[in-house]
Amino acid sequence: MLGLGLASGAYLALRQPKKQQADLRLWTFAKPHGEAYMEALPAFQRKHPEVSVDIQIVAWEAVTSRLQAAFWSGLDVPDLVEVEISEAGSFFRGRLESIGFLDLTERIHQTGLWERVVRARFAPYTTRGRIFGVPHDVHPVMLAYRRDLIEKLRIDVDKIQTWDDFVEVGRRVTEPGKRFMMELPTAEASRLEAMLFQRDGGYFDPQGRCIIDNETAVQTMMAYVPMVAGRYRIGSDLGGGQIFTRALEDGYFLFMIAPDWRTKLIEQDVPKVGGRMALMPVPAVQPGGRRTTTWGGTMIGITRKSPNPDLAWELIMHLYFNKEDLAKRFRDTNILPPARDLWDHPAYDEPRPFWSTQPLGRLYANLAPDVPFQYTSPFISLAKAKMSEALIACVQYYNRYGDRGFEGFVRRQLKVSAEEVRRVMRRNPYVTE
Amino acid sequence: MSRSEARRKRWRGEKIAPYLFVAPFIVLFLVFGAYPLVKSVILSFYITNGPSDPVFVGAENYRFLLTDPNFWKAVRNTAVYAFWSLALQIPLGLGLAILLNSSWVRGRNFLRLAFFSPNLVGQVFVGVLFSVLFVPQYGLVNKALHATIGTPLDTRWLAEPHLVMPALVMTSLWMYVGFQMVYFLAGLQSVDKELYEAARIDGANNWQQFLNVTLPSIRHVLVFVVLVSTIGSFQLFELPWVMLGRGPGPDSAGLTIIMYLYLNGYVAGDLGYASAVGWTLALGLLVISLIQLRMSGVWGGRRAG
C-alpha cells in the first residue's frame, strides 16, 4: 500500500503541468496599494505589451513569515514584494549575500532616486551600508484633533508651539475616565517611538548599534511617561478598530498622532466626525524645533531570485514615481509619495471637507522634508519589545512614586533593556562578520 | 514442491507478514517523526539563519537559554497559566460533571452540550471573541463587572501586564471546562452504584461518599485529565497570540514557551536556538509528567485504587 501510495504520488507530482506564471509577480500586503497598482498597470503594459504582470494582495503574515521561509528554503518567490517598515529589518539577519532581496544601492544612485527621494526614508531599508528597498512613502506626522470640541473648550491650537504648551493645556481639559487630551498608549511604544524619532533618537544608530539607552531616549521617556501616568496624566488609550472609532465619536480623545496614512483610516472609519476634524503640526520639543516626526512605512524590494530584475525595476519606477498616478493615489489614500518633485501637483493643494477644508496634502508636504531618520537592524523587533517593556516599567514606577527618583529609574531601566538587546546581538555570527 | 518446502515458505511468509503490515507506519515514522527529532537535536547545537548558514556553537544555545530572562519569563508565565488553569478547571469541571450526572437536573443532555460546545470551536475563534469581550470602555466583560462590582469601565485587560494572565485564564476556563467535564462524566458513569449504596448503609453523608467513593473510583480519569491539561497548558500558543495581537502582549505578560520558540525560530529565524527551546520544553514536560504520575501513585508509587 505504501509503495502504491508513493508511486501514485510521484506519478502525479511528475505529471503536474507547469503553472503558467506571469513575467512579473508583485506581492503587497496593503489592499489600497494593490488596487492602485492594478489601475496603473495598463499604462505599463502599453509600454511592454509582451510582459504579463500579476499583482497579488497577500496577508501581512504571509509577506513576513511565508516570504522569509521561502527565502530560506529557496522556494518560489515573487519578483517584487512590499514589506512594512517594522518588518524590513528582520529580512536582513543573515550575511549580505544571503539576504533574499536584491541590493539596489547602485540602481538608486544611477537613476537619481537618491537625490529625488526624502533621504531619511532609505535608512529603514539599509543594512551595512547597502539599500535593499525603495520607499513607498514619507509618512510625516501631524496631530489630528476634534476641532468642534477644541473650539468649545476655547483652546487656541496656534498657541501650542511646544510639548510643554500642549501638556499645560492638556492638564486643564483632561477629565480621567471621561475625556483625555490625547490618545497615548502606556503599554506599547509606537507613540513614544514617534517622539523619540522627533528628537533624532531611535533604536539603532547608522552603524547598527543599539542606542535605546542614550541621553535622547532617557529624555524622551522622561517627557512621555508623565503624559500617560500619575495624577496629572493627559493621555490614555483604549485600543484600535471599532473602539477607537467610538472613542473618537464620543470625544474621549481630543488629539491623536496622525501620519498621512492614518487620516484616511479616520475618514473611512469615523465618517460621523467629518468636517469636525482638523490637523496641526506636532508640537516641537524646543521652541523653533522640528514640528513633525514619522510613523509607519513600506518599501518595495526586488527578490534576488527574480529572473527579470531590470523589468522589475521599471515596474517600480512606474508604480512609485508616475506623477499623475500618484496624484490620483494620493486622493484615494492620503499617502504622500516619497519624491519631492511629485508634490507640486494640484492634488496636494485641494481642500478636504472632512478636515475642515484644510489642504491636507500641502500640510504634510510642507513637513515631509523634515521627517527624521530611523535606522534599522535585524534586531529591530527585539529592540521595540524591550522599549515597550521599559515604558511599562517606567509607567508603573511613575504611578507609584511620581517624580521621586524617576530619572535614575528611567536610566537604569533603559540600560537593562539595551543590554538585553546587545546580548542577543552578540550571538549573531552573520552581521558582525 | 514438497510438503516441507511449502510449510517452510508459509512459515517464512507468516514471519515476514507482520513486518510488512507495520512497515508503512515505520517508514512514515522514520521520515516524519524520527528524522525531524534527530535533526532538531543536531540543530540545537547550531546558530542558523533559517535552515541555511548553520554555525556550530556547541552547547551555547542551551547556555544562553538558561541565562535568558525572556525564556524564564516565558517559563514563569506558562507555569502560572498552567497552575491557575488546572486549579480552576479541574474542580469546576468535576463539579459540573457531578451536577450533570445527577438525575434531578432537568435538560442534562442540553446542558452537557452547552458546556462542551466552546471546545468545538478553535482557539483562534475563541481568541478573537474574547479580545472583543475584553475591550475597555465598551466591552461586555467591563460593562458586566462595572455594573456588578463597580470596577472601572476602561480596565485594559489585554494592555495591562498584570491583567493579561487573568484574562487568558478566564478565556481558557470558558473554553476547556466542558472538555474536562466530559471526561469526568465518563468516569462518574462507570462508578459502581453499589458502592454508594454500601456507603449510605454505613452512614456516609454526601461529602463522605464523594471523598471515599467517587474520588478513588475516578482517580485514573483525574490523573489523565490533570496530565493532559498540564501538557496542553504548556503548549499554549494560539490563544495569547490572537488575543494579544500576534505578539507576547504588554511587558511580554502573555509570552509562553511555545510562543518564545516560535518567535525565535520563525520570526528571528534561529532554528537552532528554537530547537534548543523545544528540547528543553520536552524534557521539562517529561519531568513534570513523571512527578505527577509518581505523586498520584499511578506510576512507581502506591498502586492505584
Side-chain angles (χ1 to χ4, degrees), chain A residues 1-2 6 60-61 65 68-69 72-73 87 90 93-95 98-99 176-177 180 184-188 233 236-239 242-243 246-248 250 252 381-382 385-386 388-390 392-393 396 420 423-424 427-430 433, chain B residues 23-24 27-28 46-55 57 60-61 63-70 73 132 135-139 143 154 156 158-162 246 248-252 262 265-271 273:
Chain A
M1 262 191 35
L2 179 70
L6 288 174
W60 174 313
E61 296 78 12
S65 53
Q68 186 65 278
W72 284 333
S73 42
E87 303 291 342
S90 64
R93 181 171 187 269
R95 297 184 174 96
S98 303
I99 292 173
F180 283 94
L184 287 174
T186 52
E188 54 96 5
R233 69 196 166 115
S236 179
D237 80 313
L238 297 173
Q242 287 178 354
I243 185 161
R246 182 85 185 269
L248 188 53
D250 291 354
Y252 192 79
S381 301
L382 177 66
K386 290 296 152 196
S388 291
E389 284 177 21
I392 288 164
Q396 285 172 344
E420 280 188 43
R423 190 167 160 267
V424 175
R427 267 172 52 82
N428 184 306
Y430 311 114
E433 267 179 0
Chain B
V27 171
L28 291 175
Y46 287 84
I47 285 178
T48 69
N49 178 33
S52 55
D53 300 338
V55 176
V57 290
E60 163 61 20
N61 283 335
R63 194 197 62 75
F64 186 82
L65 177 83
L66 295 175
T67 55
D68 184 8
N70 291 320
K73 184 174 260 184
V132 175
V135 155
Q137 202 74 16
Y138 309 107
K143 288 207 164 175
D154 59 355
R156 293 171 301 174
L158 303 177
E160 294 289 348
H162 66 284
R246 295 193 302 272
D251 206 16
S252 298
Y262 176 81
Y266 296 93
V267 178
D270 192 348
L271 292 180
Y273 186 62

Side-chain angles (χ1 to χ4, degrees), chain B residues 100-102 105-116 181 185 189:
Chain B
L100 297 182
N101 197 39
S102 312
V105 176
R106 287 189 181 174
R108 278 184 298 169
N109 287 338
F110 171 75
L111 289 172
R112 284 172 190 174
L113 177 69
F115 281 116
F116 181 71
M181 180 200 73
L185 259 175
Q189 284 167 3

